[in-house]
Amino acid sequence: MPILVSAMSSRPSHPLQRLFTYSREYRGQIWQASFCSVLNKLFDLAPPALIGLAVDVVVEQQDSLIAQYGITDIRNQFIALSVLTFIVWSLESVFEYAYDRLWRNLAQNIQHKLRLNAYDHLQDLDLAFFENRSTGSLMSVLNDDINQLERFLDRGANEVLQVITTVIIIGGVFFVLAPSVAWMAMLPMPFVMWGAIAFQKLLAPRYAEVRERVSLLNSRLSNNLSGITTIKSFTAEAYESDRICQESLGYSQSNQRAIALSAAFIPLIRILILIGFTATLLYGGLITVDGQLAVGTYSVLVFLTQRLLWPLTRLGETLDQYQRAMASTNRVMNLLDTPITLHPGNHRLPMSQVQGDIRFEDVTFAYDNGQPVTEHLTLKIPAGKTIAIVGSTGSGKSTLVKLLLRFYEVQQGRITLDGINLQALDPQDLRQAIGLVSQDVFLFHGTVAENIAYGSFGASREAIRAAAKVAEAHDFIENLVSGYDTIVGERGQKLSGGQRQRIAIARAVLKNPPILVLDEATSAVDNETEAAIQRSLEKITQNRTTIAIAHRLSTIRNADRIYVMEYGQLVEWGTHEELLERNGLYAGLWRVQMGEKL
């Protein structure tokens, strides 16, 4: 189950706070990486001090600072400086390797956990969530937004820490060595910090717009790639290219608006830095000439001023990364905060114990609080029997399947399986007990064998072949280029509709569930394929509860009972012969399909 950040009412408001709250288990690694970043910067700032010591040796010779520690020989002083330099540079390199590895591994760990938790959370949401959002926008969150966060953790977090360390260390050194000069070097700092905060506030909404724009672009691309056959058949390539152009242009323009602001940050910071550096260079030089400041100390201050102020120019790039990452973090965390409306029951019902007695009791349901699709519906499906549900389009037939599988929750009434309310059942147990064969067969990119074994992942090749034979799919599979190892393509596009349908039936046969649901399983195939599918269905519906939803009444005429729906309610029920004798809605539909009535 996904780890949610917190309840909607109490979650941290700032995306960085939300990220830290989410990443609690990685705090030890964060501290280690931060410690190495700080130590690396300490050793990185040491060379200017070594240069100052070298200048001090040249100018003062036996009276230098190093000589005060007992090394009076000038040659030995330079040897000592060389050894110290080697040690400092080596430690700087060691800690650079350490922080780089720690931060990058941390980025990988967090993005891996975040992507998995976001995906797991998505799987727990009901179908209404997916029907109201495009696949491309969700892909944008799972891929692009999480990758954006990873890029910031790779580099940006270290940059922020090292800038803070630089300001603290060099500021302290300045006030110790030359308090009269220190304030000049530090003068730009408040303005730089103020500018960074001001830019952050201005950039935040612009990068939020960038994330939304890329989401729309991904959505359009995903939709078009899925519908490429339709695009080509309607010669709509130019039209779709224009729509992609518009979405891409919108994304580009939103980026340009953000860039126009972020690009101004570095030039403005450079002006402030120039003021501080020039003041230190001029005033420090004058007091050094007057003898108020040692030459070595002045050299250190000049170098340190540059080391203090010039890294601030990278704040623009770091700030840019930070704002992109925070906009992405908000989108990922908002996804994780989406409430799960499907509450798993704790009643376990192993598939071996399922009898298959299903009852809909006074069930009312509406999509998105609209008009009820089913209203006060009551029907019984005895265990081991085959029942059919027919009716005109929009009468609520397929909705019953979605409610039975708990893709949606009933809003009134209840559905029971073997006398147990579905809401009390563990959804995994419920769905394991049901085999669904629908009109819209989804095959995954992979082999035929992998698609038949989907959901029965440990099945042997012999069991897969046996299931294919029952589904009358074995012969055509053997004639494929690589037989059961043939790649079916995305959504099974290399196979015909009838072939996909028979693989779906083989998948259900292999699962061997006590309840079988056939949702328009033969409505999109030719007569020959329909006959083959009907033969296989006659075999697999024996001794199991079967619910067949169909437009073609000829396929369900032998059902034990037929329910006729209209506007979400049951209007007729009985056997095929009883319904024809009643001369109601079912009899009218039958005559139309038999060509007796226009």
Side-chain angles (χ1 to χ4, degrees):
M1 290 296 293
I3 301 173
L4 298 182
V5 178
S6 61
M8 293 284 286
S9 58
S10 61
R11 75 186 185 197
S13 57
H14 194 278
L16 190 59
Q17 287 178 286
R18 298 174 74 183
L19 180 61
F20 279 136
T21 302
Y22 177 84
S23 306
R24 188 176 288 112
E25 68 180 270
Y26 297 111
R27 286 186 179 175
Q29 195 172 347
I30 291 172
W31 280 112
Q32 290 178 31
S34 301
F35 182 68
C36 290
S37 291
V38 171
L39 286 179
N40 168 260
K41 181 50 63 176
L42 286 174
F43 289 111
D44 179 55
L45 294 173
L50 296 175
I51 294 173
L53 288 173
V55 172
D56 188 53
V57 170
V58 171
V59 175
E60 302 294 339
Q61 299 187 12
Q62 283 83 3
D63 296 324
S64 69
L65 181 63
I66 295 178
Q68 296 177 19
Y69 289 92
I71 306 175
T72 55
D73 183 75
I74 295 177
R75 179 184 179 87
N76 289 337
Q77 289 185 39
F78 277 111
I79 291 174
L81 271 177
S82 299
V83 172
L84 188 59
T85 300
F86 181 82
I87 293 172
V88 166
W89 280 66
S90 297
L91 288 173
E92 179 195 357
S93 299
V94 167
F95 284 111
E96 181 173 2
Y97 170 78
Y99 84 65
D100 192 41
R101 184 172 179 178
L102 284 167
W103 279 118
R104 292 171 73 175
N105 284 337
L106 177 67
Q108 292 301 315
N109 290 338
I110 290 179
Q111 66 92 16
H112 173 68
K113 177 191 174 187
L114 200 55
R115 181 175 287 115
L116 285 183
N117 283 1
Y119 177 75
D120 287 344
H121 190 71
L122 272 177
Q123 290 193 130
D124 288 332
L125 298 174
D126 62 24
L127 283 185
F129 177 86
F130 297 94
E131 290 172 352
N132 293 327
R133 289 161 181 82
S134 69
T135 302
S137 64
L138 295 176
M139 286 293 295
S140 177
V141 174
L142 292 175
N143 266 338
D144 198 48
D145 283 321
I146 290 176
N147 289 342
Q148 195 71 54
L149 176 60
E150 177 197 357
R151 283 190 284 271
F152 171 70
L153 290 173
D154 266 349
R155 297 292 178 190
N158 173 68
E159 289 285 345
V160 171
L161 273 174
Q162 293 206 333
V163 166
I164 293 172
T165 302
T166 300
V167 171
I168 293 173
I169 297 300
I170 295 182
V173 169
F174 263 58
F175 281 104
V176 169
L177 294 180
S180 59
V181 181
W183 68 271
M184 295 183 182
M186 302 300 289
L187 182 63
M189 296 301 299
F191 297 99
V192 171
M193 293 299 105
W194 173 82
I197 294 170
F199 266 80
Q200 175 184 330
K201 290 180 178 179
L202 291 172
L203 278 170
R206 300 197 182 193
Y207 278 122
E209 182 189 359
V210 168
R211 303 314 314 149
E212 288 301 320
R213 285 289 186 177
V214 75
S215 175
L216 292 172
L217 177 59
N218 284 342
S219 177
R220 178 69 64 192
L221 288 169
S222 174
N223 194 55
N224 283 16
L225 292 174
S226 298
I228 192 67
T229 303
T230 303
I231 292 171
K232 287 179 174 295
S233 64
F234 284 89
T235 61
E237 291 91 342
Y239 172 76
E240 291 300 340
S241 291
D242 184 62
R243 294 214 290 180
I244 293 296
C245 177
Q246 292 301 316
E247 296 290 2
S248 182
L249 184 61
Y251 171 56
S252 177
Q253 289 174 341
S254 64
N255 254 318
Q256 288 172 11
R257 286 189 288 272
I259 291 169
L261 192 59
S262 66
F265 183 78
I266 292 178
L268 292 175
I269 294 301
R270 283 180 181 273
I271 299 300
L272 295 173
I273 290 171
L274 178 62
I275 294 171
F277 182 75
T278 304
T280 304
L281 185 70
L282 177 61
Y283 183 70
L286 291 175
I287 63 174
T288 300
V289 171
D290 290 341
Q292 300 177 38
L293 194 66
V295 175
T297 302
Y298 174 64
S299 303
V300 171
L301 291 181
V302 172
F303 278 110
L304 285 181
T305 302
Q306 186 181 29
R307 298 298 298 274
L308 170 67
L309 297 178
W310 285 112
L312 296 179
T313 59
R314 294 201 302 271
L315 272 180
E317 180 183 349
T318 304
L319 186 64
D320 191 77
Q321 286 183 342
Y322 172 79
Q323 283 302 340
R324 289 177 182 269
M326 291 307 100
S328 294
T329 298
N330 252 341
R331 283 163 52 84
V332 177
M333 294 301 171
N334 287 339
L335 172 60
L336 283 170
D337 287 337
T338 304
I340 296 172
T341 57
L342 177 64
H343 301 291
N346 54 15
H347 194 295
R348 300 306 304 268
L349 185 63
M351 190 165 67
S352 60
Q353 298 178 14
V354 175
Q355 300 299 312
D357 183 79
I358 300 169
R359 302 197 178 197
F360 288 74
E361 300 175 1
D362 195 33
V363 171
T364 297
F365 173 78
Y367 293 102
D368 296 327
N369 298 317
Q371 289 295 318
V373 180
T374 64
E375 194 168 7
H376 302 294
L377 177 77
T378 297
L379 64 83
K380 299 177 182 179
I381 305 170
K385 299 294 185 181
T386 296
I387 70 104
I389 303 174
V390 301
S392 57
T393 301
S395 60
K397 304 185 300 299
S398 293
T399 297
L400 298 186
V401 176
K402 295 176 183 178
L403 294 176
L404 177 60
L405 286 160
R406 281 193 75 191
F407 293 157
Y408 294 91
E409 297 284 35
V410 297
Q411 292 148 356
Q412 182 180 323
R414 68 175 193 156
I415 306 172
T416 64
L417 172 59
D418 295 342
I420 305 169
N421 192 330
L422 294 192
Q423 294 185 355
L425 281 174
D426 182 284
Q428 293 289 319
D429 286 349
L430 171 66
R431 292 166 187 165
Q432 279 289 337
I434 300 173
L436 174 64
V437 180
S438 65
Q439 174 185 355
D440 184 21
V441 175
F442 191 96
L443 299 185
F444 294 88
H445 184 76
T447 67
V448 172
E450 288 170 344
N451 274 281
I452 293 176
Y454 193 81
S456 305
F457 301 106
S460 65
R461 181 56 67 99
E462 291 73 22
I464 292 171
R465 287 175 177 272
K469 288 177 180 177
V470 173
E472 300 206 12
H474 177 74
D475 290 342
F476 88 76
I477 293 173
E478 286 288 290
N479 289 327
L480 296 174
V481 177
S482 301
Y484 282 85
D485 294 318
T486 301
I487 300 295
V488 302
E490 190 173 4
R491 298 184 66 90
Q493 61 186 355
K494 292 184 178 181
L495 304 178
S496 70
Q499 290 172 332
R500 290 196 297 268
Q501 200 74 50
R502 280 183 269 186
I503 287 177
I505 293 171
R507 183 189 290 169
V509 171
L510 188 60
K511 184 179 181 181
N512 193 28
I515 301 168
L516 183 64
V517 177
L518 309 170
D519 188 3
E520 305 285 2
T522 62
S523 63
V525 297
D526 56 59
N527 292 333
E528 183 180 352
T529 303
E530 180 187 359
I533 291 175
Q534 279 299 118
R535 289 193 298 270
S536 61
L537 291 179
E538 287 173 6
K539 299 174 187 174
I540 67 173
T541 56
Q542 294 177 8
N543 303 317
R544 77 180 78 228
T545 303
T546 304
I547 303 171
I549 296 173
H551 273 112
R552 294 186 183 181
L553 303 185
S554 59
T555 62
I556 50 90
R557 61 184 299 174
N558 295 322
D560 295 309
R561 174 164 290 191
I562 300 171
Y563 289 102
V564 184
M565 292 188 65
E566 189 72 10
Y567 303 116
Q569 295 182 329
L570 288 180
V571 293
E572 294 177 346
W573 55 87
T575 65
H576 173 72
E577 289 76 15
E578 289 170 348
L579 290 171
L580 288 182
E581 289 177 7
R582 194 168 297 166
N583 201 29
L585 180 61
Y586 180 85
L589 291 172
W590 177 262
R591 286 193 292 269
V592 169
Q593 292 192 15
M594 293 299 104
E596 299 175 17
K597 177 182 175 182
L598 295 178

